[in-house]
Amino acid sequence: MRFLACLTFLLIATFTYSQKKPLDHTVYDRWERISENAVSSDGLWIAYVKAVQEGDDEANIVSVDGSKKLTIPRGYNIRFTKDNKYGILMVKPFFAATREAKIKKKKPEEMPKDSLAIVELPSLTLRKIPNVKTYSLPSFAGGPLAYHAHKVADTAKKAAPADSDEGTDLYIDPLSDTLVRKFANISEFKWNPKGKMLVMEGRQSAAVKGSSNAVLIYRTIENKLDTILKGGNEFGNFAIDSNAYQVAFTAERDSSKKSLQKFHKLWYYKNGMDSAVVLTDKNSAGMKLGWTVSENRELRFSGNGSRLFFGTAPIKPAKDTITPDIDKVKLDIWNYKDDYLQTVQLFNLATELKRSYLALYDLNFKKMWQVADDGMRDVIIPETGDGDLFVGTSDTGRRVASQWTGRALRDIYAIDAATGKRTLIKKNSKDFPQLSANGQYISWYDTNTRQYFTWRNNNLVNVSKGIPYKLYDQENDTPDDPPPYGRGRWMKDDKGLLVEDRYDIWKLDPDGKLPPVSITKGMGRKMKADFSPYESRTDGQDPSDILIVNAQEEGNKHMGIYLADLSGNKDLVKLFHGPYLVTPVTKATDAGVYMYTKQTVSQSPDLYVLPGSGSERKITAINPQQSEYNWGTAELVKWTAYDGKPATGMLFKPENFDPSKKYPMICYFYEKSSETLFNYRSPAPTPSALNTIFFVSRGYLVFVPDISYKIGYPGKSGYDYVVSGARAMVKKGFVDSTKMGLQGQSWGGYQIAHIITRTKLFAAAWAGAPVANMTSAYGGIRWESGVNRQFQYEKSQSRIGATLWEKPQLYIENSPLFHLPKVTTPLMIMSNDDDGAVPWYQGIELFTAMRRLGKQVWLLNYNGEKHNLVERKNRKDLSVREQEFFDWLLKGEKPPRWITDGVPATEKL
């Protein structure tokens, strides 16, 4: 009987297992992810949003101990107050209601509106407020809460009026009591970080006689409202110092709204003054002749309140309103002396028209000086805005070369923060400088010596020379200088500079007097694991703090999270380490509580919490429906590539994999990907790449090889690794060598187009946005940025490493177009007519050539779409067509009509 019971159980289990469904295109919308999360500063509460791909999301607030939970349907944008007493979030309307309104082409004022939700802790009492546009909390205070309302609907008109220039109601809710303040017709507002003061712009309708716009300040402690300026236009860029003692803003007060030229002024107010006064305008001392205050830069007080940073810009000529548009000539003039190509200039036109240059007003000495100008556009100031040094760079006169180098050489200057004096400290640098947290040191990684340097008081020091290991990417395979591992980051109070080698993290003495200290204690090199800082704080790292460190082993891709002591005196503390991917890690501000998501190829990225004392708790369990479907597994595979080097890749198999069977296999690749071994891959409509888990669920193997490149031979390099890897998988005995396909996008698409000219191994190929002809692509434009493509071939991904006229044979050898007569593999191309990365005519060149040669070839052009599809409806369409294409050629399914007969333009939907 026991034997029969066991047999019955096994049969039931086998039957249940065999009943798992393959994924199909109907599952996408309800697949979930954690789209945002937050932890309270005391570490007792966690908030997260469980989002679906299309539909209504869900916000949750839960206690870390798991005893309490509140679900808020359609919630998003969650924050906890600094005092840990409240959770604040927005609530969207129902997805279906918004969709229906869009279908009916409702006006913006008629669309369903968001609500605000206030959750009291620990009772989880919920209060909702309808018709809210946005909310704001002070950064470092428990409250109060400010929220901005939409216009209220007029019941007689059955619709709300538009949120016009006259502003809408702003409410100040102290949260701790029921006294809510309302301010009418507010358009902009900003909190002091500590919640002591709110500055607002009040707007009045021009139709109301005798009314005027105004700048208001509300003092929360005194519950007092003051008007600090009345009358004017375009108030903005509000700034409040940390102590709520000073306020600054820009305004254009004298001109009418229809003026052809507007001159903004910098206004200033401090406690005790009757009203705001002008600090600087176009006529002030220190302002460059022909310049004025810019409205296009945020204002900022320094930490101690003694400096005010603002923007200036040349006065623009008045717009020509005399010449009729019909008589205006529209012309672009390209000049070889231009700093940037016309395409770059046109792409950046809107930005350039709003360009401003950093200026400083010294409130102690009551004077301004121009920090940046057209000769030195880029200036870095300390995070606090205090300190003795700024650092600036200038590439004036050397910008043309960026067309083929990808970057311009630049001079680095130290700028005296008190006087503005500039000191040249490095000429013709390839490198970008950094400024220490307190503004005492300038640092950079030097590409030529491959070391880190600091500069202070004319003293230049190599601070990394004591590190006995290479600090640059030893596996760099592009024809350019290898980049450093990670990037230097300054500790708080300028106590040290943190840098990385291949495995470990080092603390450097900024004066170079003390030897480098490995704060990871050499564990990275011992474990052959890449240790890198997980946490990046803009105010630098406190030397008494710990640093959250991520580690990923080279051999098996296992990942760990550790705590490193920044003094370098203590050993690493391991939080956890294992066969999964962890991201991101957040620490509660005032408690030793860590929040993160953990995932594997078969485990959704669920949210976990690790209290300072206690064991890990799993907070979420998203995508329970996954258990209904045949999923997949992932493993690292190794072989020897045709260039004789060891190779690594990933092999994905169906959950119900049977090694005695023969499977069709799709090879997907893009440079190196094996570090993503433990990534969860949601079934989702694809923008371009292969949806790995979808095909694996439906009985395919997916092979993802890493590729190492030889400079000058990118096409052959792809062949060496992809084809050798595919044949290595065939040798395992479970791959059908007659049913193998290729899929790739962009650089992967190019390599597929090249590989099929070298081998008949593959039965199907899908190339998205491929380059077919390097000779014509070389001089083309990347329309998403306007830059010329030459740098890509000489210095970057295409890896030729020479100009077209220096080594034309390499451009021809690596261009699929010149070798297409050898192709036997059916090829599907996707080239979209608004692709800003790869000109879509490259796909046309490939298609028309293969068509002339009588090859099987198709081209998909999603009208108006980008390099990777943006619109979800197009992604869904592409996913279906990709399945139909591979099912036809690799599984023997019947091909649809669009493949066999095409779709005439007369039938185009």
Side-chain angles (χ1 to χ4, degrees):
M1 290 294 293
R2 182 178 299 173
F3 171 77
L4 290 175
C6 290
L7 180 61
T8 301
F9 174 81
L10 288 172
L11 287 172
I12 292 173
T14 302
F15 177 76
T16 302
Y17 182 82
S18 66
Q19 290 299 102
K20 284 193 173 185
K21 300 175 290 187
L23 291 167
D24 59 48
H25 301 293
T26 66
V27 307
Y28 300 142
D29 291 352
R30 66 174 176 145
W31 223 266
E32 300 165 337
R33 63 186 175 90
I34 305 299
S35 62
E36 59 177 279
N37 56 64
V39 58
S40 61
S41 58
D42 60 8
L44 297 180
W45 296 91
I46 281 178
Y48 64 90
V49 173
K50 184 167 65 173
V52 293
Q53 293 184 27
E54 189 167 271
D56 293 318
D57 299 340
E58 168 191 292
N60 294 271
I61 297 178
V62 300
S63 59
V64 166
D65 64 10
S67 62
K68 294 184 176 182
K69 179 179 180 179
L70 175 67
T71 297
I72 306 102
R74 307 181 310 285
Y76 73 103
N77 191 17
I78 304 180
R79 284 185 62 190
F80 288 109
T81 56
K82 188 66 175 175
D83 60 6
N84 308 300
K85 293 182 179 179
Y86 298 91
I88 314 294
L89 66 156
M90 297 293 290
V91 178
K92 294 179 181 179
F94 285 100
F95 175 83
T98 301
R99 186 175 187 275
E100 182 67 18
K102 289 179 179 178
I103 292 172
K104 292 181 178 179
K105 297 182 179 180
K106 295 280 189 179
K107 297 177 181 179
E109 59 268 25
E110 298 173 330
M111 295 293 290
K113 301 295 191 293
D114 287 0
S115 300
L116 177 72
I118 301 171
V119 180
E120 186 174 350
L121 306 174
S123 66
L124 297 182
T125 304
L126 174 67
R127 174 160 60 104
K128 292 179 73 174
I129 301 167
N131 263 358
V132 174
K133 289 196 290 185
T134 184
Y135 76 88
S136 178
L137 285 168
S139 303
F140 304 112
L145 164 72
Y147 59 90
H148 211 181
H150 288 284
K151 287 285 186 181
V152 179
D154 184 331
T155 54
K157 295 180 179 179
K158 298 182 181 181
D163 294 339
S164 64
D165 287 344
E166 62 189 70
T168 60
D169 293 339
L170 179 72
Y171 295 85
I172 309 298
D173 190 332
L175 297 174
S176 57
D177 59 46
T178 58
L179 180 62
V180 177
R181 289 291 305 263
K182 171 185 171 182
F183 303 105
N185 303 323
I186 302 300
S187 58
E188 288 190 47
F189 62 98
K190 185 171 185 177
W191 278 115
N192 156 264
K194 296 179 182 178
K196 295 180 180 179
M197 180 186 287
L198 183 78
V199 61
M200 301 172 280
E201 176 187 5
R203 288 191 179 181
Q204 298 295 330
S205 172
V208 180
K209 291 184 178 180
S211 67
S212 61
N213 298 336
V215 177
L216 315 169
I217 59 171
Y218 173 65
R219 295 182 176 89
T220 57
I221 296 176
E222 299 92 337
N223 188 25
K224 182 181 179 183
L225 179 70
D226 286 320
T227 300
I228 63 173
L229 186 66
K230 196 170 184 179
N233 304 305
E234 300 183 12
F235 299 112
N237 302 309
F238 296 120
I240 314 173
D241 74 347
S242 60
N243 294 316
Y245 184 72
Q246 305 174 99
V247 174
F249 55 92
T250 59
E252 187 280 306
R253 198 176 185 216
D254 300 324
S255 304
S256 71
K257 290 186 177 182
K258 296 181 179 179
S259 174
L260 298 180
Q261 277 186 306
K262 295 183 179 182
F263 304 104
H264 288 75
K265 298 178 181 180
L266 177 64
W267 292 81
Y268 173 78
Y269 172 87
K270 68 178 179 180
N271 289 348
M273 295 173 61
D274 290 332
S275 59
V277 297
V278 174
L279 277 188
T280 298
D281 64 13
K282 64 185 176 67
N283 299 314
S284 298
M287 181 68 69
K288 295 183 68 172
L289 184 64
W291 286 42
T292 190
V293 173
S294 172
E295 75 276 26
N296 296 313
R297 179 183 287 264
E298 289 188 11
L299 307 186
R300 174 184 165 195
F301 285 99
S302 64
N304 64 19
S306 66
R307 295 170 178 165
L308 175 60
F309 296 95
F310 64 103
T312 62
I315 296 171
K316 296 179 178 61
K319 184 179 179 182
D320 178 9
T321 59
I322 299 175
T323 306
D325 286 345
I326 196 172
D327 293 332
K328 289 180 181 177
V329 176
K330 295 183 178 180
L331 170 70
D332 301 328
I333 299 177
W334 297 45
N335 191 304
Y336 73 99
K337 293 181 180 179
D338 287 345
D339 280 350
Y340 300 105
L341 290 173
Q342 276 287 313
T343 48
V344 177
Q345 295 179 48
L346 292 169
F347 179 82
N348 293 323
L349 182 59
T351 300
E352 288 299 319
L353 289 174
K354 293 183 177 182
R355 178 177 288 280
S356 65
Y357 300 87
L358 182 68
L360 178 154
Y361 193 95
D362 190 311
L363 294 160
N364 289 336
F365 293 95
K366 294 181 172 51
K367 66 175 184 178
M368 76 152 282
W369 59 273
Q370 191 66 47
V371 181
D373 53 37
D374 197 46
M376 185 183 293
R377 292 184 168 190
D378 300 316
V379 174
I380 304 169
I381 61 175
E383 181 63 28
T384 62
D386 302 313
D388 299 331
L389 282 176
F390 303 157
V391 59
T393 62
S394 174
D395 59 2
T396 301
R398 287 155 292 185
R399 295 169 184 158
V400 173
S402 63
Q403 174 180 323
W404 53 88
T405 62
R407 59 188 175 190
L409 297 177
R410 61 191 65 239
D411 297 336
I412 302 176
Y413 290 84
I415 304 173
D416 188 305
T419 67
K421 179 184 176 182
R422 298 173 178 177
T423 302
L424 178 64
I425 60 176
K426 191 178 183 187
K427 192 168 182 62
N428 289 328
S429 173
K430 298 178 182 177
D431 315 302
F432 290 90
Q434 291 180 289
L435 193 60
S436 63
N438 282 6
Q440 302 300 312
Y441 298 88
I442 297 170
S443 64
W444 64 87
Y445 170 82
D446 184 83
T447 301
N448 295 326
T449 62
R450 299 176 182 178
Q451 296 287 327
Y452 285 89
F453 287 81
T454 62
W455 185 96
R456 183 186 187 189
N457 297 330
N458 287 317
N459 189 27
L460 181 65
V461 181
N462 181 339
V463 291
S464 60
K465 62 183 178 182
I467 298 178
Y469 307 108
K470 293 181 174 69
L471 301 174
Y472 60 88
D473 183 359
Q474 297 166 65
E475 297 182 337
N476 177 63
D477 57 8
T478 60
D480 201 358
D481 298 304
Y485 290 108
R487 60 178 180 85
R489 61 182 72 199
W490 280 94
M491 293 168 58
K492 192 174 182 180
D493 297 328
D494 300 357
K495 295 296 184 181
L497 178 66
L498 301 179
V499 304
E500 301 167 51
D501 69 13
R502 181 171 181 171
Y503 298 112
D504 288 296
I505 305 171
W506 298 80
K507 182 176 73 171
L508 306 179
D509 173 25
D511 293 314
K513 296 177 180 178
L514 301 175
V517 175
S518 172
I519 66 168
T520 49
K521 299 296 185 181
M523 286 298 297
R525 188 156 263 97
K526 291 176 185 176
M527 297 171 57
K528 290 292 185 288
D530 172 16
F531 277 78
S532 58
Y534 213 113
E535 186 177 55
S536 176
R537 292 211 311 245
T538 55
D539 62 347
Q541 296 294 339
D542 188 322
S544 64
D545 270 354
I546 56 174
L547 181 71
I548 301 176
V549 175
N550 163 70
Q552 186 175 48
E553 294 183 64
E554 283 185 347
N556 56 22
K557 310 303 178 183
H558 288 194
M559 185 174 180
I561 301 297
Y562 296 77
L563 304 180
D565 171 44
L566 283 171
S567 70
N569 297 324
K570 299 178 182 178
D571 291 335
L572 283 171
V573 175
K574 180 173 73 173
L575 295 182
F576 42 79
H577 193 116
Y580 36 68
L581 173 67
V582 178
T583 183
V585 179
T586 303
K587 178 184 177 297
T589 307
D590 303 322
V593 176
Y594 299 89
M595 178 181 64
Y596 47 90
T597 60
K598 184 187 290 187
Q599 61 184 284
T600 68
V601 70
S602 58
Q603 175 189 316
S604 291
D606 275 307
L607 193 62
Y608 291 76
V609 63
L610 182 65
S613 57
S615 57
E616 176 184 77
R617 272 199 69 238
K618 186 176 182 180
I619 302 296
T620 65
I622 62 174
N623 295 317
Q625 75 278 11
Q626 180 182 312
S627 62
E628 304 170 18
Y629 296 95
N630 182 37
W631 205 247
T633 63
E635 63 189 68
L636 281 181
V637 289
K638 298 181 183 295
W639 71 98
T640 300
Y642 289 154
D643 64 1
K645 296 179 180 179
T648 301
M650 298 181 290
L651 182 63
F652 295 85
K653 300 175 180 176
E655 182 181 350
N656 60 354
F657 175 74
D658 182 348
S660 66
K661 293 183 178 179
K662 296 281 189 180
Y663 289 84
M665 184 176 77
I666 301 174
C667 303
Y668 169 77
F669 46 89
Y670 189 101
E671 304 226 1
K672 291 182 172 67
S673 304
S674 61
E675 72 277 1
T676 68
L677 177 69
F678 294 107
N679 285 30
Y680 183 81
R681 292 159 172 84
S682 296
T686 179
S688 58
L690 189 77
N691 190 311
T692 301
I693 203 65
F694 178 87
F695 281 93
V696 168
S697 175
R698 300 185 70 84
Y700 288 88
L701 302 178
V702 175
F703 170 57
V704 185
D706 286 351
I707 302 172
S708 295
Y709 294 90
K710 180 181 179 182
I711 304 304
Y713 300 91
K716 183 178 184 302
S717 298
Y719 169 86
D720 285 347
Y721 282 79
V722 175
V723 177
S724 66
R727 292 191 184 280
M729 297 306 105
V730 169
K731 290 180 180 178
K732 292 179 178 291
F734 45 71
V735 176
D736 186 341
S737 63
T738 68
K739 300 296 181 182
M740 293 196 295
L742 298 166
Q743 202 278 351
Q745 167 73 8
S746 192
W747 182 241
Y750 153 71
Q751 294 193 279
I752 285 170
H754 186 90
I755 287 170
I756 62 174
T757 69
R758 287 177 170 265
T759 180
K760 300 179 180 180
L761 182 63
F762 299 99
W766 183 294
V771 166
N773 182 359
M774 288 190 174
T775 67
S776 60
Y778 175 76
I781 297 295
R782 294 179 66 96
W783 294 106
E784 64 187 6
S785 59
V787 301
N788 182 249
R789 297 174 57 85
Q790 291 175 356
F791 79 94
Q792 183 172 325
Y793 292 90
E794 296 176 37
K795 294 290 185 181
S796 186
Q797 186 177 57
S798 297
R799 295 178 169 87
I800 299 299
T803 68
L804 178 60
W805 42 90
E806 286 172 335
K807 295 187 177 179
Q809 72 281 3
L810 289 182
Y811 284 82
I812 293 172
E813 178 181 335
N814 286 283
S815 295
L817 184 73
F818 297 99
H819 314 288
L820 292 179
K822 303 173 186 176
V823 172
T824 60
T825 305
L827 176 66
M828 182 69 65
I829 305 165
M830 182 182 77
S831 284
N832 301 320
D833 53 23
D834 198 26
D835 189 330
V838 175
W840 85 296
Y841 61 72
Q842 286 292 315
I844 294 172
E845 285 194 51
L846 184 57
F847 175 84
T848 56
M850 289 187 67
R851 182 174 187 258
R852 176 172 180 171
L853 291 165
K855 311 293 184 181
Q856 288 182 289
V857 64
W858 302 258
L859 188 147
L860 305 178
N861 167 29
Y862 286 90
N863 300 167
E865 272 284 16
K866 305 295 183 182
H867 188 62
N868 297 293
L869 299 181
V870 175
E871 294 195 42
R872 187 172 177 83
K873 63 183 180 182
N874 291 336
R875 292 182 176 192
K876 286 185 173 182
D877 182 84
L878 177 66
S879 299
V880 172
R881 295 184 193 279
E882 192 169 70
Q883 180 201 343
E884 291 173 338
F885 178 72
F886 283 119
D887 280 357
W888 167 46
L889 292 171
L890 302 186
K891 281 189 171 183
E893 301 288 342
K894 183 179 179 180
R897 176 175 172 262
W898 68 270
I899 289 180
T900 57
D901 302 333
V903 180
T906 54
E907 297 181 17
K908 182 178 176 181
L909 297 178

